[in-house]
Amino acid sequence: MIPVASANAAEKGWRYWGYYQAAPGANTWTAAMTGPTVDIEDGAVEGWSFVFSSDDIPSTPPSVKPNFASICGKTKADKDTKRIALVIDFGAKAYAPKGEKIKKTISTCVRTAKTSQGIDVLGMAVKVRAAKSGLICGLNGYPAKECGSEIATPASIKK
């Protein structure tokens, strides 16, 4: 007998920190299918968005477009470091953890060592809480305690 997917498979999903990237010169987000322990180039834009998704690919990129010039334009290049634009979007009220207030989106330019990876850039800008597995659980205290929680699909975002 072939197992059949449950009719209510899309009734649940997960809320978690989705990781996005935009290569130097790019103006659209791409969901990063690897963790933030990857090398990034000077001029890149890193994005984090607290998302709700019923599959493995984050569904909602940061609300701020990846625009290196507008975020890092005033930060001069030098030969010893690299500049990475960083956008952190704290998501929507529809799937915010109960009792928690959504924080304001962060857009900042991070000057870092040439060898820095995505996780280093993130840690230079905000406080990071991660699980032992490496999953990013919270940024600047949001969410306060949970980590990649499965929840019922919020009625306001059901299709």
Side-chain angles (χ1 to χ4, degrees):
M1 185 171 168
I2 299 172
V4 178
S6 168
N8 66 354
E11 292 298 311
K12 290 190 175 187
W14 294 265
R15 59 180 170 213
Y16 60 93
W17 282 102
Y19 179 41
Y20 294 84
Q21 296 176 305
N27 60 5
T28 57
W29 291 114
T30 300
M33 300 313 293
T34 61
T37 54
V38 294
D39 292 327
I40 43 180
E41 296 179 58
D42 180 77
V45 185
E46 294 276 280
W48 290 87
S49 184
F50 194 67
V51 302
F52 173 84
S53 183
S54 57
D55 61 30
D56 293 344
I57 300 171
S59 57
T60 310
S63 57
V64 173
K65 293 282 185 200
N67 186 322
F68 179 81
S70 69
I71 299 170
C72 285
K74 295 179 180 174
T75 305
K76 299 256 189 261
D78 68 42
K79 64 180 179 59
D80 298 321
T81 62
K82 60 185 173 183
R83 300 157 302 150
I84 307 297
L86 176 66
V87 175
I88 301 170
D89 185 328
F90 291 87
K93 186 176 182 179
Y95 48 84
K98 188 174 181 158
E100 294 199 47
K101 186 177 180 198
I102 299 168
K103 296 174 184 262
K104 185 178 175 192
T105 297
I106 296 169
S107 293
T108 190
C109 187
V110 176
R111 181 184 296 278
T112 186
K114 294 268 190 192
T115 57
S116 291
Q117 297 181 322
I119 192 68
D120 303 314
V121 171
L122 185 63
M124 290 177 75
V126 296
K127 183 177 179 188
V128 178
R129 179 173 55 85
K132 287 180 182 174
S133 67
L135 179 68
I136 302 301
C137 298
L139 300 179
N140 273 2
Y142 185 85
K145 295 180 180 170
E146 69 180 48
C147 188
S149 294
E150 185 177 33
I151 62 168
T153 300
S156 65
I157 61 173
K158 283 185 180 178
K159 293 181 180 175

